[in-house]
Coordinates of all heavy atoms in Angstrom, one line a residue:
Y111 N -3.8 19.9 -17.0 CA -5.1 19.7 -17.7 C -5.5 21.0 -18.4 O -5.4 22.1 -17.8 CB -6.2 19.3 -16.7 CG -5.9 18.1 -15.9 CD1 -5.3 18.1 -14.7 CD2 -6.3 16.9 -16.5 CE1 -5.1 17.0 -13.9 CE2 -6.1 15.7 -15.7 CZ -5.5 15.7 -14.5 OH -5.2 14.6 -13.8
D112 N -6.0 20.9 -19.6 CA -6.5 22.1 -20.3 C -8.0 22.2 -19.9 O -8.8 21.4 -20.2 CB -6.4 21.9 -21.8 CG -6.8 23.1 -22.6 OD1 -7.3 24.1 -22.1 OD2 -6.7 23.0 -23.9
I113 N -8.3 23.3 -19.2 CA -9.7 23.5 -18.8 C -10.3 24.7 -19.5 O -11.3 25.3 -19.1 CB -9.7 23.7 -17.3 CG1 -9.0 24.9 -16.8 CG2 -9.3 22.4 -16.5 CD1 -9.3 25.3 -15.3
T114 N -9.7 25.1 -20.7 CA -10.3 26.1 -21.5 C -11.7 25.8 -21.9 O -12.0 24.6 -22.1 CB -9.4 26.3 -22.8 OG1 -8.1 26.5 -22.4 CG2 -10.0 27.4 -23.6
R115 N -12.6 26.7 -21.9 CA -14.0 26.5 -22.2 C -14.1 25.8 -23.6 O -13.3 25.9 -24.5 CB -14.7 27.8 -22.3 CG -14.2 28.7 -23.4 CD -14.9 30.1 -23.4 NE -14.3 30.9 -24.4 CZ -14.5 32.2 -24.5 NH1 -15.4 32.8 -23.7 NH2 -13.9 32.9 -25.5
L116 N -15.2 25.0 -23.7 CA -15.4 24.3 -25.0 C -15.7 25.2 -26.1 O -15.6 24.8 -27.3 CB -16.5 23.3 -24.8 CG -16.2 22.1 -23.9 CD1 -17.4 21.2 -23.6 CD2 -15.0 21.3 -24.4
A117 N -16.2 26.4 -25.9 CA -16.6 27.3 -26.9 C -15.4 27.9 -27.7 O -15.6 28.6 -28.7 CB -17.4 28.5 -26.3
G118 N -14.2 27.6 -27.2 CA -13.0 28.1 -28.0 C -12.1 28.9 -27.1 O -12.3 29.1 -25.9
P119 N -11.0 29.4 -27.7 CA -10.0 30.2 -27.0 C -10.6 31.5 -26.4 O -11.6 32.0 -26.9 CB -8.9 30.4 -28.0 CG -9.5 30.3 -29.3 CD -10.7 29.3 -29.1
Y120 N -9.9 32.1 -25.4 CA -10.2 33.3 -24.9 C -9.6 34.5 -25.7 O -8.7 34.3 -26.5 CB -9.7 33.4 -23.4 CG -10.4 32.4 -22.6 CD1 -9.7 31.3 -22.1 CD2 -11.7 32.5 -22.2 CE1 -10.3 30.3 -21.4 CE2 -12.4 31.5 -21.4 CZ -11.6 30.4 -21.0 OH -12.3 29.5 -20.3
N121 N -10.2 35.7 -25.5 CA -9.8 36.8 -26.4 C -9.0 37.9 -25.6 O -9.0 39.0 -26.0 CB -11.1 37.5 -26.9 CG -11.9 36.5 -27.7 OD1 -11.4 35.9 -28.6 ND2 -13.2 36.4 -27.4
T122 N -8.3 37.5 -24.5 CA -7.6 38.5 -23.8 C -6.3 38.8 -24.4 O -5.8 38.2 -25.3 CB -7.5 38.0 -22.3 OG1 -7.0 39.1 -21.5 CG2 -6.5 36.9 -22.2
D123 N -5.6 39.9 -23.8 CA -4.3 40.2 -24.3 C -3.4 40.5 -23.0 O -3.9 40.4 -21.9 CB -4.3 41.4 -25.2 CG -4.9 42.7 -24.7 OD1 -4.7 42.9 -23.4 OD2 -5.5 43.4 -25.4
S124 N -2.2 40.9 -23.2 CA -1.3 41.0 -22.1 C -1.6 42.3 -21.2 O -1.0 42.4 -20.1 CB 0.2 41.1 -22.6 OG 0.3 42.2 -23.5
T125 N -2.5 43.1 -21.7 CA -2.9 44.3 -20.8 C -4.1 44.0 -20.0 O -4.4 44.8 -19.0 CB -3.2 45.5 -21.7 OG1 -4.3 45.2 -22.5 CG2 -2.0 45.9 -22.6
Q126 N -4.8 42.9 -20.3 CA -6.0 42.6 -19.5 C -5.6 41.4 -18.6 O -5.5 40.3 -19.0 CB -7.1 42.1 -20.4 CG -7.7 43.2 -21.2 CD -8.5 44.2 -20.4 OE1 -8.1 45.3 -20.2 NE2 -9.7 43.8 -20.0
L127 N -5.3 41.6 -17.3 CA -4.9 40.6 -16.4 C -6.2 39.8 -16.0 O -7.3 40.3 -15.8 CB -4.2 41.2 -15.2 CG -2.9 41.9 -15.5 CD1 -2.4 42.4 -14.2 CD2 -1.9 40.9 -16.1
W128 N -6.0 38.5 -15.8 CA -7.0 37.6 -15.3 C -7.2 37.9 -13.8 O -6.2 38.1 -13.0 CB -6.6 36.2 -15.4 CG -6.7 35.7 -16.8 CD1 -5.7 35.8 -17.8 CD2 -7.8 35.0 -17.4 NE1 -6.1 35.2 -18.9 CE2 -7.4 34.7 -18.8 CE3 -9.0 34.6 -17.0 CZ2 -8.2 34.0 -19.6 CZ3 -9.9 33.9 -17.9 CH2 -9.4 33.6 -19.2
T129 N -8.4 37.9 -13.3 CA -8.7 38.0 -11.9 C -9.6 36.8 -11.6 O -10.2 36.2 -12.5 CB -9.5 39.4 -11.5 OG1 -10.7 39.4 -12.3 CG2 -8.6 40.6 -11.9
G130 N -9.8 36.6 -10.3 CA -10.6 35.5 -9.9 C -10.3 35.0 -8.5 O -9.7 35.7 -7.7
G131 N -10.7 33.7 -8.3 CA -10.5 33.1 -7.0 C -11.4 31.9 -6.8 O -11.8 31.3 -7.8
V132 N -11.7 31.7 -5.6 CA -12.5 30.5 -5.2 C -13.7 31.0 -4.4 O -13.5 31.7 -3.4 CB -11.7 29.4 -4.5 CG1 -12.6 28.3 -4.1 CG2 -10.6 29.0 -5.4
L133 N -14.9 30.6 -4.7 CA -16.1 30.9 -3.9 C -16.9 29.6 -3.8 O -17.3 29.0 -4.8 CB -16.9 32.0 -4.6 CG -18.2 32.3 -3.9 CD1 -17.9 33.0 -2.6 CD2 -19.1 33.2 -4.8
G134 N -17.1 29.2 -2.5 CA -17.9 28.0 -2.3 C -17.2 26.8 -2.8 O -17.9 25.9 -3.2
G135 N -15.9 26.8 -2.9 CA -15.2 25.6 -3.4 C -15.1 25.6 -5.0 O -14.6 24.6 -5.5
L136 N -15.7 26.6 -5.7 CA -15.6 26.6 -7.1 C -14.7 27.7 -7.6 O -14.8 28.9 -7.2 CB -17.0 26.9 -7.7 CG -18.1 25.8 -7.3 CD1 -19.5 26.2 -7.8 CD2 -17.7 24.5 -7.8
L137 N -13.8 27.3 -8.5 CA -12.9 28.3 -9.1 C -13.6 29.2 -10.1 O -14.4 28.7 -11.0 CB -11.8 27.5 -9.9 CG -10.8 28.3 -10.7 CD1 -9.9 29.1 -9.8 CD2 -10.0 27.4 -11.6

């Protein structure tokens, strides 16, 4: 499933790693 935001593509590059996780059942 593509869950990219509706506002358009993200602006990251290969030097900016994604971070995150799950809090209260929400990604």
Side-chain angles (χ1 to χ4, degrees):
Y111 300 96
D112 184 356
I113 62 167
T114 304
R115 63 185 176 188
L116 290 174
Y120 297 105
N121 301 308
T122 192
D123 61 34
S124 60
T125 63
Q126 294 288 107
L127 296 178
W128 288 85
T129 60
V132 177
L133 178 67
L136 301 177
L137 174 70

